Amino acid sequence: MRVLHVSDTHLGYSAFSRLDPVEGINQRESDFYDTFRQAVDLAVNLRPDVLIHAGDLFDTVRPQNRAIDFALRQIIRLSEAGIETVLISGNHSTPRIRETGSIFRIFEHLPHIHSVHEPGVAKVVVGDLTVHAVPHSVTPPLHEVVQDAVPSKATRFNLLVLHAGILGSKTYKMDEFSEQEVPMAAVSEAFDYVALGHYHEFSEVRPRMFYSGSTERLGFGEVGQTKGGVEADLVTGKATLHELRTRGMVDIEPIDASKLSSSEILEEARRRLSSADIDDLIVRLVVKDVRKDAYSTLEVPAIKRLGSRAMHFELRIDRMEEEGKKATGDIHIGSLAHEYQVYVSSSDRPEEERRRLIAAGLPYFAEDEG
């Protein structure tokens, strides 16, 4: 009995202002579509007994039409391939008010697709496997719901799928406002596999209990993480991460500017960026402890031009006001526009209104960066 476990695909996510030259849409949005397509390709090639998606298929409760269309076409591929697929809703795709309705209903008519979004424990039987699916829930809270998930004696294998932070000897959480947390002790050790979603890094929490991680990087906190899907053999307990191709993300070694003049800072930035492979990647450079005199004459636009080969270049300058005192984050180029897009995209406004707000607001950030 083999399972393919993926999670946190965040379809519809967008960031930065670069457009995909082929599709004409936001490049990061296109990147997230591409990695999900790869995950579906992986499932079609591996032919697992069941595919588990452990939450946050979409990035928002009300995804835009393009994200819905793309997701539906990929899920139909799984349906037509006869791959039993269990999808649960995560915190990004669960409405705060139940009356809003769930986007997951669009998958309910498809053969072999089991879409789980109502609070509680849903049981999906696939051959000799019972999948105990626990979607995101605030009322009742997940730490209470998961206690009702008890392995079934009717099948040889039992699998639990859950979208939550896990609290144990190590904490696995994203520090998001809407996340739910579950003590590790609340999850029965009798399950043959526990497929977790929410935490974005591939992690073995305990034997046979894994986060598959997200399929793409959503921030510099995920630099260096391998993204992919977990193939789990329920007989042997072996778990293998199959890596997906993703957009490269590079955090350049920070520049300690405490003893540098503005011209020396520029030269050091030039040295580091010219020696790094940054073409079409997402790149960040932090300049730390810039003295007041160097800050006043620092050629910020010149440093920005040094990163022009990147798909996105983020420059952060931490200014030192006086001895032993810093004013952190005085300039955080590239992030304000991103945070604005994320804020508007995650709001409950109608799609057309969100698109208008993003289109109207981004030029002001561009002017400020110039």
Side-chain angles (χ1 to χ4, degrees):
M1 175 67 71
R2 291 183 305 117
V3 171
L4 181 61
H5 165 206
V6 299
S7 187
D8 294 86
T9 47
H10 289 273
L11 300 179
Y13 174 90
S14 64
F16 320 133
S17 56
R18 184 69 63 89
L19 298 181
D20 182 317
V22 177
E23 300 294 333
I25 64 174
N26 180 272
Q27 181 63 69
R28 287 304 278 155
E29 181 183 348
S30 181
D31 290 344
F32 277 70
Y33 293 153
D34 180 62
T35 52
F36 184 57
R37 184 188 295 109
Q38 290 180 54
V40 173
D41 290 343
L42 182 64
V44 172
N45 291 331
L46 290 177
R47 308 293 302 187
D49 295 288
V50 62
L51 170 65
I52 301 292
H53 191 296
D56 283 354
L57 175 68
F58 296 104
D59 190 52
T60 63
V61 171
R62 295 180 177 178
Q64 58 183 299
N65 291 339
R66 186 165 55 237
I68 296 170
D69 174 70
F70 181 84
L72 187 57
R73 284 188 283 115
Q74 296 304 312
I75 300 299
I76 287 174
R77 287 181 61 203
L78 295 169
S79 175
E80 292 178 342
I83 297 174
E84 299 296 333
T85 301
V86 178
L87 307 162
I88 67 168
S89 58
N91 60 304
H92 277 252
S93 48
T94 300
R96 295 186 183 91
I97 303 174
R98 292 185 64 181
E99 288 74 11
T100 301
S102 174
I103 188 63
F104 276 66
R105 292 189 181 279
I106 67 173
F107 306 122
E108 291 178 347
H109 68 287
L110 296 174
H112 309 293
I113 307 301
H114 310 274
S115 174
V116 182
H117 52 85
E118 294 290 341
V121 181
K123 296 181 181 180
V124 179
V125 178
V126 179
D128 210 14
L129 168 68
T130 299
V131 177
H132 303 254
V134 182
H136 177 78
S137 170
V138 176
T139 308
L142 284 182
H143 69 270
E144 294 181 4
V145 175
V146 77
Q147 295 180 36
D148 295 329
V150 179
S152 169
K153 296 181 180 179
T155 55
R156 178 184 175 187
F157 300 103
N158 284 270
L159 181 152
L160 175 68
V161 53
L162 172 70
H163 190 91
I166 297 295
L167 306 179
S169 57
K170 178 181 177 181
T171 298
Y172 299 86
K173 54 188 292 188
M174 297 298 293
D175 293 320
E176 296 177 343
F177 175 74
S178 59
E179 72 183 349
Q180 290 283 294
E181 300 169 355
V182 172
M184 190 186 304
V187 181
S188 171
E189 295 188 32
F191 284 103
D192 297 286
Y193 187 83
V194 179
L196 297 171
H198 182 59
Y199 189 66
H200 286 181
E201 183 174 9
F202 168 67
S203 306
E204 182 178 13
V205 178
R206 72 184 185 204
R208 295 177 180 259
M209 183 176 186
F210 287 85
Y211 280 102
S212 64
S214 60
T215 53
E216 248 290 2
R217 298 177 184 84
L218 282 90
F220 283 98
E222 300 177 28
V223 168
Q225 294 180 6
T226 299
K227 301 299 184 179
V230 180
E231 180 185 8
D233 186 322
L234 302 190
V235 177
T236 65
K238 181 181 179 181
T240 303
L241 180 67
H242 293 271
E243 186 174 357
L244 302 176
R245 298 182 310 276
T246 58
R247 175 78 54 182
M249 184 175 282
V250 178
D251 213 354
I252 302 292
E253 183 182 356
I255 296 174
D256 181 354
S258 59
K259 298 180 180 179
L260 301 181
S261 65
S262 59
S263 60
E264 289 172 330
I265 293 172
L266 177 59
E267 186 56 37
E268 183 61 22
R270 178 179 290 109
R271 186 185 69 80
R272 296 192 184 193
L273 290 167
S274 62
S275 62
D277 179 12
I278 65 171
D279 290 14
D280 293 324
L281 307 185
I282 300 169
V283 180
R284 179 173 68 174
L285 174 63
V286 177
V287 184
K288 303 188 303 181
D289 298 347
V290 180
R291 299 196 316 267
K292 190 173 183 179
D293 59 323
Y295 179 82
S296 63
T297 58
L298 186 61
E299 297 182 56
V300 172
I303 300 178
K304 289 173 59 180
R305 287 193 293 271
L306 295 173
S308 61
R309 292 181 290 119
M311 190 282 282
H312 171 75
F313 177 55
E314 181 173 310
L315 173 65
R316 195 179 84 198
I317 298 177
D318 293 347
R319 179 162 55 100
M320 181 180 289
E321 291 285 4
E322 57 188 56
E323 189 68 27
K325 181 180 178 182
K326 304 173 187 176
T328 302
D330 294 292
I331 299 179
H332 198 174
I333 295 172
S335 63
L336 290 177
H338 166 52
E339 292 298 330
Y340 176 73
Q341 290 183 77
V342 171
Y343 171 75
V344 175
S345 297
S346 62
S347 70
D348 288 335
R349 295 180 176 88
E351 177 191 346
E352 196 59 39
E353 182 180 346
R354 282 183 277 140
R355 292 176 62 184
R356 286 199 305 270
L357 286 170
I358 291 173
L362 286 181
Y364 290 99
F365 292 102
E367 290 175 8
D368 183 61
E369 291 178 8

